[in-house]
Amino acid sequence: MASSQRYYHITTFGCQMNKADSERMAGILENMGFIWSGDPDNADLILYNTCTIRDNAEQKVYSYLGRQSKRKHQNPSLTLVISGCVAQQEGQKILRRVPELDLVMGPQHANRLEDLLQQVFDGNQVVVTEPIHIVEDITKPCRESAITAWVNIIYGCNERCTYCVVPNVRGVEQSRTSQEILREIKVLGQQGYKEVTLLGQNIDAYGRDLPGAVETGRYRHTLTDLLYTIHDVPGIERIRFATSHPRYFTERLIVACQELSKVCEHFHIPFQSGDNEILKAMKRGYTQEKYHRIISNIRDRMPDASISADAIVGFPGETEKQFEKTLKLVADIGFDQLNTAAYSPRPGTPAALWENQLSEDVKSERLQRLNHLVAQKATERSQRYLGRIEKVLVEGQNPQDKTQLMGRTQGNRLTFFRGNINQLKGQIVEVKITEARAFSLTGNLA
């Protein structure tokens, strides 16, 4: 093996935004001549793209770093990089814990990876966490899929939810212009991508910060306007978006999703708690009644739409009665999918300092009860697919059973069926559903 070959490995923790950032950083590394290695122990450069939304994700990063730090003592030419939200949150402090790190970089600096590595190769230990205006997305991502692609449309978040560390680590909202987004999606269409997912920490805030945003009492560049702008891009057959905020979710957006045939009938709208007092303490800016109205409006227009959400149990001060309101909301709405978590105090957030923290036992018992209900309701929701013919975008083979292909319905249900991957990859096929589980389906080609 020629010694001039340099290998890199990226491990990604956390959200879709992080996955998109990792793809961009992989693209930069490949442009620099690095080659991907699936084995971190065979890599000359290791990058951990981190998440700080919960404590366990953060602790996992430190255990991974510990192993590679030891390796660096045997092999000083190993380059160790930590990026993402833990890097932003800890900054210089992380070097006291892991002095072997070469580069510590916040998520806003993902596009600058080449320049920053150049400083490392010149012999410097580099920490960059200062807020910057994110340079337009000129990097060519090394995308994991050749069929579906992430497209960032807004970075950062201006909300101040009392439990959430994201605004501290991802900075203020910065929207990309619709021209730039359209240009990126056109290229994806030309490259054979069939589906794009528009990403934003708070995607409904898109466009509020763009020049000339307000005109005659309404925002001119909203997510709804953007959907109309990109809808007819040749080659792109499906459009998704995430994550929505109930405070800003509009009737106009629902109408657009109903009118635009390429926009998938799938909404990810976190509610976090079913109790108004807890929502107020979280500073979420809406009530559970408003949340119910949003879902009713969606289902009035699109009865079959899939609804997914996020919920937190065990928020400081949450009583059993308040938790039961969350259970009631989940039972009443019947989500297709729900990401659940026990509250985890995060550095620099108001709720972490409150004295009314709940015990880990109470949090984990509530989480178990909620998860049991979620699986039950998702199984019920899944039954509507039985016997139906669903359009499925073929993404690849089932890793557990190579004789099966897998893809997603418009409503984002993972679906397995037999077929020839070479003939069908990237195609939208019709599948008759024969089996419905809580979070996935099985069927036969129709």
Side-chain angles (χ1 to χ4, degrees):
M1 185 166 64
S3 59
S4 61
Q5 287 190 327
R6 296 181 299 172
Y7 291 87
Y8 77 96
H9 178 86
I10 297 178
T11 298
T12 308
F13 302 85
C15 68
Q16 296 165 323
M17 293 293 267
N18 265 14
K19 289 176 187 163
D21 289 347
S22 288
E23 288 184 347
R24 292 214 310 283
M25 291 189 286
I28 292 170
L29 290 169
E30 301 219 339
N31 200 37
M32 291 172 72
F34 281 88
I35 299 163
W36 163 256
S37 164
D39 177 5
D41 294 336
N42 183 38
D44 306 287
L45 182 149
I46 292 174
L47 188 153
Y48 293 116
N49 191 8
T50 59
C51 169
T52 179
I53 208 146
R54 285 194 276 284
D55 187 54
N56 55 358
E58 198 175 317
Q59 295 320 315
K60 206 186 236 185
V61 171
Y62 283 116
S63 80
Y64 280 39
L65 275 172
R67 288 206 294 276
Q68 294 304 334
S69 303
K70 287 196 187 84
R71 208 181 126 216
K72 185 157 176 140
H73 289 284
Q74 273 94 55
N75 174 12
S77 66
L78 174 65
T79 304
L80 277 184
V81 181
I82 182 168
S83 68
C85 295
V86 173
Q88 181 70 29
Q89 174 186 292
E90 298 300 313
Q92 290 280 356
K93 286 187 296 193
I94 210 167
L95 297 180
R96 292 204 287 277
R97 198 162 165 180
V98 191
E100 295 82 1
L101 280 163
D102 296 290
L103 170 58
V104 178
M105 54 186 275
Q108 296 185 341
H109 297 268
N111 290 355
R112 297 183 56 215
L113 181 60
E114 183 165 5
D115 299 342
L116 298 171
L117 282 174
Q118 213 40 68
Q119 294 175 39
V120 169
F121 299 147
D122 289 344
N124 301 300
Q125 190 177 39
V126 182
V127 178
V128 285
T129 54
E130 67 279 3
I132 58 163
H133 183 75
I134 294 170
V135 276
E136 191 45 69
D137 207 345
I138 45 174
T139 54
K140 295 264 184 297
C142 176
R143 299 187 188 266
E144 220 170 274
S145 165
I147 292 145
T148 66
W150 313 114
V151 176
N152 283 324
I153 69 165
I154 178 170
Y155 301 95
C157 182
N158 290 359
E159 298 302 299
R160 283 286 164 196
C161 303
T162 53
Y163 56 84
C164 185
V165 75
V166 165
N168 302 347
V169 292
R170 283 199 171 262
V172 296
E173 288 166 2
Q174 294 183 41
S175 302
R176 296 174 65 197
T177 66
S178 55
Q179 298 92 305
E180 280 300 336
I181 295 163
L182 181 60
R183 190 175 305 157
E184 183 178 349
I185 292 173
K186 279 181 172 168
V187 170
L188 289 167
Q190 287 158 7
Q191 291 172 338
Y193 284 86
K194 293 292 196 303
E195 176 181 293
V196 294
T197 301
L198 309 180
L199 290 183
Q201 229 75 45
N202 174 9
I203 204 157
D204 304 88
Y206 173 75
R208 292 190 300 195
D209 58 315
L210 290 172
V214 183
E215 184 186 72
T216 60
R218 88 162 184 89
Y219 288 111
R220 282 177 56 221
H221 315 285
T222 63
L223 171 62
T224 307
D225 299 314
L226 183 66
L227 290 175
Y228 283 105
T229 301
I230 65 171
H231 185 262
D232 296 326
V233 169
I236 301 298
E237 297 186 37
R238 284 184 174 179
I239 299 166
R240 301 185 186 277
F241 57 89
T243 294
S244 296
H245 192 304
R247 189 195 291 198
Y248 305 104
F249 201 88
T250 64
E251 184 74 26
R252 200 170 155 253
L253 178 61
I254 299 172
V255 171
C257 294
Q258 185 189 14
E259 283 181 2
L260 298 171
S261 60
K262 290 183 183 180
V263 177
C264 292
E265 292 188 349
H266 172 227
F267 298 87
H268 185 74
I269 316 172
F271 65 87
Q272 307 302 9
S273 170
D275 179 77
N276 289 344
E277 287 304 307
I278 295 289
L279 288 171
K280 198 172 175 184
M282 288 176 164
K283 286 216 165 121
R284 289 290 287 167
Y286 56 87
T287 59
Q288 60 94 359
E289 289 84 359
K290 178 175 179 181
Y291 190 84
H292 270 286
R293 282 198 300 276
I294 290 169
I295 305 304
S296 295
N297 287 347
I298 291 171
R299 287 186 169 154
D300 284 349
R301 289 185 178 276
M302 291 168 272
D304 201 39
S306 288
I307 314 284
S308 60
D310 303 339
I312 296 170
V313 304
F315 187 74
E318 181 188 65
T319 64
E320 172 63 24
K321 209 167 177 179
Q322 289 172 322
F323 169 63
E324 282 168 9
K325 289 185 182 170
T326 293
L327 292 178
K328 183 169 173 7
L329 186 145
V330 171
D332 289 350
I333 285 179
F335 290 93
D336 290 81
Q337 190 146 13
L338 186 62
N339 304 324
T340 61
Y343 169 74
S344 173
R346 306 312 300 130
T349 60
L353 305 174
W354 297 347
E355 285 170 8
N356 53 353
Q357 305 289 331
L358 304 191
S359 73
E360 292 305 316
D361 286 352
V362 168
K363 290 194 280 194
S364 92
E365 188 266 344
R366 285 182 186 171
L367 186 60
Q368 238 174 332
R369 278 157 66 198
L370 178 60
N371 285 342
H372 179 72
L373 178 62
V374 167
Q376 193 185 321
K377 298 310 285 186
T379 305
E380 286 170 23
R381 286 286 292 159
S382 253
Q383 300 314 303
R384 72 191 193 277
Y385 290 114
L386 271 177
R388 268 178 25 180
I389 290 178
E390 284 291 311
K391 288 186 160 57
V392 176
L393 173 59
V394 184
E395 292 178 37
Q397 285 174 312
N398 177 356
Q400 263 77 52
D401 178 354
K402 291 288 197 290
T403 67
Q404 286 186 330
L405 306 186
M406 64 179 193
R408 289 176 188 276
T409 66
Q410 264 211 300
N412 209 34
R413 264 288 193 278
L414 194 56
T415 306
F416 302 102
F417 52 95
R418 296 195 186 283
N420 183 327
I421 189 68
N422 300 322
Q423 287 171 356
L424 299 179
K425 193 170 183 178
Q427 306 292 315
I428 291 179
V429 297
E430 294 194 333
V431 176
K432 183 161 187 181
I433 305 304
T434 55
E435 202 182 324
R437 291 168 298 280
F439 306 111
S440 64
L441 307 168
T442 301
N444 301 313
L445 285 170

